[in-house]
């Protein structure tokens, strides 16, 4: 499979090159040159396939012959190593739980898949590659865990000081080995900007790559669970509407790709917190990035979502076509808390703030008689324990995988400007 840069000023790329580079030389993000629909037979008979088989069918055209089939299947087996339950919370709404992986966030899927692709591509290479990643919360932990111990790969994670939860911070600062955390005095967008600057800095001779959802190997495997949910729900013969709590818009963009591959999804709702660049765009037609603001759903505190340009490409850069299949709404922290309470009172389901924003999107959009709504529950409530316990009359039990890191000692290097990052990378 070939990939082109969405800035259209870099040469066409292989899968391998796009994974290893992350961002094209013209600073554009990569997009597949050609998307082939899966067969109707496959979609109709999806229940006959295991999740591993589904994932293989979904991803194989995007990898092509650059990873042998057997190796790709092995990578999938290590990536899809946990369940993706669909849990009903209302008559016509269910939560797609994406948090049963090692760091309890959906990003485990993309991080593990990417780590293994990179390790495979780098296996015959003496040079180490450095993965640089900016996180607003969950990416850091998932990447740290996914890449821990990967041969020939060093990982540097930048996170905004004081703006991630305690558990998230522990998950990305305590693993050691090939993982280093940089604690940045700023917001997520500052971290992201520093990463982007490093990629263009010719003084840095190390091979750098990104592990944000701009990397195709993190983005594309996120299609898998839209198919898994369809497998669970298609027998009801309802029209499916997915609401995705969105920050950088990589997750929802993977959903739109799944639809492009022929998965019958009627409509998408991109639900955001008050970082509402996309909802504003859909209303006004003007795309105006803004600095991000801190909220209780902090993994979505993104003022300039890097994947939105891919969504526009998927809808031929036509806002009217986009609006016919894609809506976006924004919600305040007060609305989010009230909804966590409402969901809990209705069904005793404990939603984290991100999931609650997703649920709100479905309610705002409205569901017709033959429609069924699915919101993506992107993180386990324990990752936002403080907010959840302040809002709901519950004590969130700490699961085993979290207990393992919570008592470890944080190790992070302070960074306040790009020069600090550069100094570290030039060491
Ligand atoms: C990263 C993250 C999101 C946002 O996902 P995007 O792909 O960036 O839109 C939502 N919820 C949680 C818990 C996350 O970690």
């Amino acid at each position: 499979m070939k990939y082109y840069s969405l800035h259209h000023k870099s040469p066409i790329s292989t899968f391998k090159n796009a994974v290893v580079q992350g961002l094209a030389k013209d600073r554009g993000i990569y997009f597949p040159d050609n998307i082939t629909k899966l067969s109707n037979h496959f979609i109709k008979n999806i229940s006959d396939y295991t999740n591993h088989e589904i994932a293989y069918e979904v991803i194989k055209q995007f990898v092509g012959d650059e990873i042998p089939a057997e190796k790709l299947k092995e990578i999938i087996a290590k990536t899809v190593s946990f369940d993706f339950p669909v849990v009903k919370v209302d008559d016509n709404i269910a939560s797609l739980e994406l948090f049963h992986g090692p760091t309890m966030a959906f990003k485990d899927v993309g991080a593990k898949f990417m780590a293994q692709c990179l390790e495979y591509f780098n296996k015959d290479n003496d040079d180490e590659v450095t993965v640089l990643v900016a996180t607003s919360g969950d990416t850091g932990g998932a990447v740290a865990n996914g890449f821990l111990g990967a041969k020939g790969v060093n990982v540097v994670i930048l996170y905004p000081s004081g703006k991630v939860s305690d558990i998230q911070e522990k998950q990305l600062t305590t693993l050691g080995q090939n993982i280093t955390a940089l604690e940045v005095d700023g917001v997520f967008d500052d971290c992201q900007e520093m990463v982007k600057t490093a990629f263009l800095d010719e003084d840095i001779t190390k091979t750098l790559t990104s592990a944000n959802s701009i990397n195709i190997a993190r983005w594309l495997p996120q299609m898998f669970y839209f198919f898994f949910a369809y497998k669970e729900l298609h027998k009801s013969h309802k029209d499916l509407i997915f609401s995705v709590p969105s920050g950088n818009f990589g997750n929802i963009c993977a959903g739109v790709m799944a639809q492009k591959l022929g998965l019958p999804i009627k409509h998408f709702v991109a639900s955001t917190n008050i970082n509402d660049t996309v909802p504003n765009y859909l209303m006004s037609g003007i795309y105006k990035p803004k600095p991000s603001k801190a909220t209780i759903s902090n993994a979505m505190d993104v003022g300039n979502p890097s994947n939105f340009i891919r969504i526009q490409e998927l809808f031929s850069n036509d806002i009217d076509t986009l609006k016919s299949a894609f809506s976006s709404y924004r919600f305040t922290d007060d609305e989010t808390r009230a909804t966590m309470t409402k969901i809990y009172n209705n069904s005793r389901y404990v939603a984290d703030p991100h999931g609650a924003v997703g649920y709100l999107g479905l309610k705002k959009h409205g569901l017709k008689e033959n429609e069924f709504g699915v919101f993506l529950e992107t993180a386990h409530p324990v990752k936002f324990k403080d907010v959840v316990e302040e809002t709901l009359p519950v004590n969130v039990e700490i699961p085993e995988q979290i207990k393992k890191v919570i008592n470890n000692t944080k190790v992070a290097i302070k960074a306040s400007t790009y020069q600090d990052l550069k100094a570290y990378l030039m060491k």
Side-chain angles (χ1 to χ4, degrees), residues 342-371:
K342 190 181 128 194
I343 299 172
Y344 181 77
N345 288 345
N346 282 350
S347 63
R348 292 285 173 268
Y349 189 79
V350 178
D352 96 296
H354 303 78
V357 168
Y359 177 93
L360 270 168
L362 289 172
K363 286 291 182 189
K364 175 113 183 181
H365 183 72
L367 294 167
K368 300 202 187 80
E369 182 69 24
N370 199 43
E371 293 175 343

Side-chain angles (χ1 to χ4, degrees), residues 20-83:
V20 174
Q21 269 198 350
L23 205 62
K25 286 272 186 293
D26 63 5
R27 290 188 90 168
I29 59 177
Y30 282 112
F31 194 85
D33 196 30
N34 182 17
I35 301 168
T36 309
K37 266 193 156 183
L38 300 174
S39 73
N40 285 335
H41 181 268
F42 169 71
I43 302 283
K44 265 211 181 105
N45 296 288
I46 195 159
S47 303
D48 298 344
Y49 293 79
T50 65
N51 281 0
H52 289 177
E53 288 166 344
I54 292 171
Y56 179 72
E57 288 304 312
V58 167
I59 204 78
K60 69 179 182 195
Q61 66 172 297
F62 298 98
V63 177
D65 59 7
E66 296 180 51
I67 298 178
E70 283 318 304
K71 180 69 197 176
L72 184 56
K73 287 178 184 170
E74 200 183 300
I75 290 176
I76 286 169
K78 285 191 189 149
T79 303
V80 181
S81 60
F82 50 90
D83 292 335

